[in-house]
Amino acid sequence: MTRDLVLARFAAQQPVGRRGSNLAATRGDHSPRPGALPPSAGLTSAAVLVPIVDHSTGLTVLLTQRAAHLTDHAGQISFPGGRIEPSDEHPVAAALREAEEEVGLPASHVDIVGRLDTYVTGTGFEIVPVVAVVRPPYPLRPDPFEVAEVFEVPLDFLIDPVNLQRGSREWHGTTRFFFAVPYEDRYIWGATAGMLVNLAEVLAPELVGGRPQTDF
């Protein structure tokens, strides 16, 4: 996968400006479970940045591991992001602000290329995933209160359907289904893995675009 191909894949979608205003479908934590419906009331608006880093040696995706003490999704692997605040003009502004606050990624190194489908979590968040190409080198200053670690995963690994899995576990007396992407000693699952499945569908449609989400 190259930078030019990433740009071409997202350019083929409905154009998106910095306001992130293009129409998109909705998916979420319910998606791996056939017939399940997303929560629709009392959702908190949020945005994340999906940072594709344009290294000369190949593209990677920047991810964070959330601090273990946080109230929401503690210890999980995630994209930089958070709640959309009243001061944020639009979801893209929220994603850029959160990325700078969480990991120190300056907006001057970020080129917005598009967005993924809105993602609804079972914990009540309605997330706009904003996709960007990041130009290195750039400073990283992780906020130790929110972020335990910042790391990168090769983009080609994340969009290979061989690495996209669907798992299940018992939770509060019911079976919960979820997407997962194991990588080395890390386990990417839940909302982040679901967004990566969406990213793979956009960037590698010849591999995964025609497959139902429940096929992984």
Side-chain angles (χ1 to χ4, degrees):
M1 179 64 60
T2 65
R3 179 182 184 276
D4 287 345
L5 186 53
V6 169
L7 297 178
R9 295 296 195 199
F10 277 98
Q13 294 186 320
Q14 183 173 342
V16 60
R18 292 188 71 84
R19 293 179 177 273
S21 58
N22 63 324
L23 298 176
T26 297
R27 64 178 72 198
D29 287 348
H30 62 285
S31 299
R33 182 180 175 186
L37 297 175
S40 58
L43 297 176
T44 299
S45 296
V48 298
L49 191 71
V50 181
I52 299 174
V53 186
D54 185 19
H55 292 292
S56 60
T57 53
L59 303 179
T60 64
V61 175
L62 185 148
L63 293 161
T64 72
Q65 181 168 0
R66 293 172 60 80
H69 65 83
L70 295 175
T71 302
D72 299 312
H73 309 288
Q76 292 186 17
I77 292 173
S78 65
F79 296 112
R83 299 168 189 257
I84 298 176
E85 303 293 347
S87 58
D88 294 320
E89 187 179 2
H90 40 70
V92 173
L96 291 171
R97 174 183 56 76
E98 286 284 349
E100 187 155 13
E101 291 177 357
E102 285 188 11
V103 301
L105 179 61
S108 58
H109 286 254
V110 176
D111 297 321
I112 304 300
V113 299
R115 61 162 290 178
L116 301 174
D117 295 342
T118 299
Y119 195 98
V120 178
T121 70
T123 52
F125 288 89
E126 185 178 48
I127 304 170
V128 175
V130 179
V131 182
V133 172
V134 177
R135 289 172 278 107
Y138 49 83
L140 280 183
R141 298 182 303 276
D143 179 352
F145 182 81
E146 294 193 53
V147 177
E149 188 177 2
V150 180
F151 63 98
E152 297 178 23
V153 180
L155 177 61
D156 285 342
F157 179 92
L158 294 173
I159 64 174
D160 187 337
V162 171
N163 302 318
L164 307 178
Q165 302 178 4
R166 190 170 72 101
S168 66
R169 67 178 59 171
E170 295 300 314
W171 187 68
H172 291 185
T174 62
T175 302
R176 179 180 178 183
F177 296 90
F178 54 88
F179 291 116
V181 187
Y183 175 70
E184 295 182 345
D185 60 344
R186 307 178 191 277
Y187 192 68
I188 307 168
W189 71 287
T192 303
M195 294 179 214
L196 288 172
V197 168
N198 190 181
L199 182 66
E201 291 170 351
V202 174
L203 295 182
E206 66 281 2
L207 298 178
V208 301
R211 300 171 60 177
Q213 296 178 36
T214 53
D215 275 1
F216 296 110

